[in-house]
């Protein structure tokens, strides 16, 4: 049974099945992502605390820097995970009930998830470019500049 929305857009049964399948796969991947972020968070705490409770070794010193980075990354990942679940749950509810409001909520979650991922990707690319330039400048300043 086709559903026609107020703006005239029609979602047929095949589209509904595809949306429902997408929502299920999204939820599966989001659950895995949530588990990974919980593990990252725990690892960050453990790696941060380890230098203070274990006998000193050269390997443990870096934990004071790396541990908080793991914690920060895991906390930043909460937002896209929440928005991804909003997409999965909204689309699933819309497919089962035919609710435009639920479909809109689901797509709003996907929009926010993709926007966040895009902005984060741009930030990561800029950081990588800056790091490469810094490594080149630092390498040249130490006399390791490639021959021109």
């Amino acid at each position: 049974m086709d559903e026609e929305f107020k703006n005239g857009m029609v979602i047929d049964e095949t589209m509904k099945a595809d949306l429902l399948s997408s929502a299920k796969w999204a939820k599966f991947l989001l659950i895995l992502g949530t588990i990974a972020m919980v593990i990252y968070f725990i690892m960050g705490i453990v790696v941060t605390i380890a230098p203070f409770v274990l006998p000193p070794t050269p390997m443990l010193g870096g934990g004071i820097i790396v541990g908080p980075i793991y914690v920060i990354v895991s906390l930043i990942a909460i937002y896209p995970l929440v928005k991804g679940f909003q997409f999965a749950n909204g689309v699933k509810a819309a497919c089962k009930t035919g609710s435009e409001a639920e479909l809109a909520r689901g797509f709003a979650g996907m929009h926010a998830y993709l926007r966040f991922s895009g902005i984060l990707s741009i930030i990561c690319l800029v950081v990588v470019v800056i790091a490469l330039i810094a490594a080149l400048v630092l390498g040249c300043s130490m006399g390791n500049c490639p021959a021109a």
Side-chain angles (χ1 to χ4, degrees):
M1 176 162 117
D2 293 352
E3 289 189 33
E4 185 169 341
F5 291 96
K6 292 177 187 171
N7 64 358
M9 183 170 54
V10 176
I11 296 181
D12 64 21
E13 290 303 315
T14 303
M15 296 161 121
K16 265 191 191 178
D18 288 341
L19 278 171
L20 193 55
S21 178
S22 297
K24 288 177 182 177
W25 278 107
K27 196 162 201 173
F28 170 72
L29 293 172
L30 290 161
I31 289 169
L32 291 179
T34 301
I35 292 168
M37 288 307 110
V38 168
I39 291 169
Y40 272 38
F41 183 82
I42 292 169
M43 282 176 49
I45 298 295
V46 169
V47 169
T48 302
I49 295 173
F52 300 107
V53 295
L54 296 175
T57 64
M59 295 294 288
L60 290 177
I64 296 170
I65 296 169
V66 174
I69 291 172
Y70 273 42
V71 170
I72 291 167
V73 167
S74 65
L75 293 175
I76 289 172
I78 291 172
Y79 178 78
L81 288 170
V82 167
K83 292 302 178 180
F85 278 113
Q86 181 182 334
F87 162 74
N89 294 333
V91 167
K92 184 177 177 183
C95 287
K96 293 191 185 278
T97 65
S99 168
E100 282 184 57
E102 288 295 328
L103 188 61
R105 182 177 72 91
F107 283 131
M110 180 53 70
H111 176 257
Y113 174 84
L114 293 172
R115 182 182 57 223
F116 181 88
S117 297
I119 291 169
L120 190 60
S121 296
I122 291 168
I123 291 169
C124 288
L125 286 172
V126 168
V127 168
V128 166
V129 169
I130 290 171
L132 287 173
I133 292 170
L136 183 63
V137 168
L138 184 63
C140 285
S141 70
M142 298 178 108
N144 296 326
C145 208

